[in-house]
Amino acid sequence: MKSRLLFLGPPGAGKGTQAKLLCENQGLIHLSTGDLLRAEVNAQSPLGKEAALIMNKGELVSDEIVLSIVQKRLSADAKSGWLLDGFPRNLIQAQSLQQLLENVSQPIQAVLLIELDDETLIKRLLSRGRSDDTQEVIRHRLEVYREKTAPLVDFYQSLGILVKIQGEGDVKDVALTIRSALGLVM
Ligand code: B4P
């Protein structure tokens, strides 16, 4: 049974939606850096105020902030299974994560890449309508994804743990595709 997973993919591919379902189904802890950052924003903490300005522009929040949030959660939850959603988002975060997990002897078992065409991504995000889901910000997030996050595909492929799926279709069908691609029991 795979219990240390990571979801990768462009904004709107369905990482958050599918991560939630899979965690409920498999009893894993869902660690979404997007959700953790939005919780800080809603609490209007100093960190949240800083993060809100960056998120609403479609930029990546600083590695320092994100790493400190993840480190805190992973050291508390490292013993049980987990699914990282939306983290890492660049090579520095990926390398820091490798180091962190090596230190606790908890390597990632599979990285799931959810692929989807730009037109569908943009349509989904516009209908979600979060404050960072405007046309202009979405386009910028897609550029940031291609420049900073997409190189992680090669990084995890070279480690031999990358699994690719197509994110088209309704939520239930995609969920089934994911479980089958990861060889998980339904
Ligand atoms: P995230 O919160 O990670 O959000 P996302 O990538 O935009 O969306 P996701 O792919 O999870 O899509 P979802 O399932 O919600 O990031 C937001 C921001 O936080 C970033 O831009 C950045 O600023 C910051 N951030 C987060 N992590 C960071 C990090 N590690 N480093 C630095 N900054 C970081 O789906 C989207 C919509 O599609 C939803 O409305 C959903 O209902 C719908 N949908 C999903 N699946 C569908 C399907 N099969 N059919 C139809 N609709 C579907």
Side-chain angles (χ1 to χ4, degrees):
M1 146 102 186
K2 291 192 178 71
S3 57
R4 293 188 299 277
L5 304 171
L6 197 156
F7 276 10
L8 194 63
K15 301 181 296 289
T17 305
Q18 294 297 334
K20 190 170 175 288
L21 288 175
L22 191 69
C23 286
E24 279 165 12
N25 181 272
Q26 301 284 317
L28 303 174
I29 289 161
H30 180 196
L31 291 178
S32 155
T33 42
D35 287 351
L36 293 169
L37 288 167
R38 280 185 288 277
E40 296 285 345
V41 172
N42 291 337
Q44 299 193 319
S45 68
L47 189 155
K49 284 182 187 161
E50 195 183 329
L53 296 172
I54 302 166
M55 292 167 84
N56 285 332
K57 281 195 261 173
E59 297 286 346
L60 294 183
V61 173
S62 78
D63 294 336
E64 201 189 0
I65 291 183
V66 175
L67 284 166
S68 76
I69 292 182
V70 172
Q71 196 155 10
K72 216 188 304 169
R73 290 299 304 265
L74 269 183
S75 48
D77 297 330
K79 298 274 181 301
S80 357
W82 39 256
L83 192 168
L84 291 171
D85 157 21
F87 173 86
R89 255 176 155 99
N90 61 29
L91 273 172
I92 292 184
Q93 292 183 8
Q95 285 156 350
S96 307
L97 177 65
Q98 286 300 106
Q99 190 62 57
L100 183 69
L101 295 176
E102 245 168 57
N103 293 345
V104 289
S105 304
Q106 302 267 333
I108 301 164
Q109 292 165 313
V111 175
L112 183 94
L113 171 66
I114 307 181
E115 297 181 302
L116 197 61
D117 61 273
D118 282 9
E119 203 187 321
T120 315
L121 293 172
I122 294 169
K123 218 187 283 171
R124 283 188 189 175
L125 292 173
L126 284 176
S127 60
R128 179 173 64 183
R130 221 166 54 194
S131 64
D132 58 342
D133 287 337
T134 62
Q135 278 276 6
E136 197 189 334
V137 175
I138 291 168
R139 291 211 177 273
H140 187 59
R141 281 159 61 199
L142 287 171
E143 282 166 17
V144 171
Y145 174 78
R146 281 192 202 100
E147 187 194 331
K148 308 220 162 114
T149 313
L152 299 187
V153 173
D154 285 346
F155 178 81
Y156 288 115
Q157 196 142 35
S158 72
L159 297 178
I161 51 174
L162 191 80
V163 178
K164 287 187 197 180
I165 65 125
Q166 291 301 318
E168 283 121 45
D170 71 26
V171 172
K172 262 195 189 155
D173 290 341
V174 178
L176 289 175
T177 305
I178 291 176
R179 279 177 232 166
S180 137
L182 293 173
L184 298 170
V185 281
M186 314 253 172

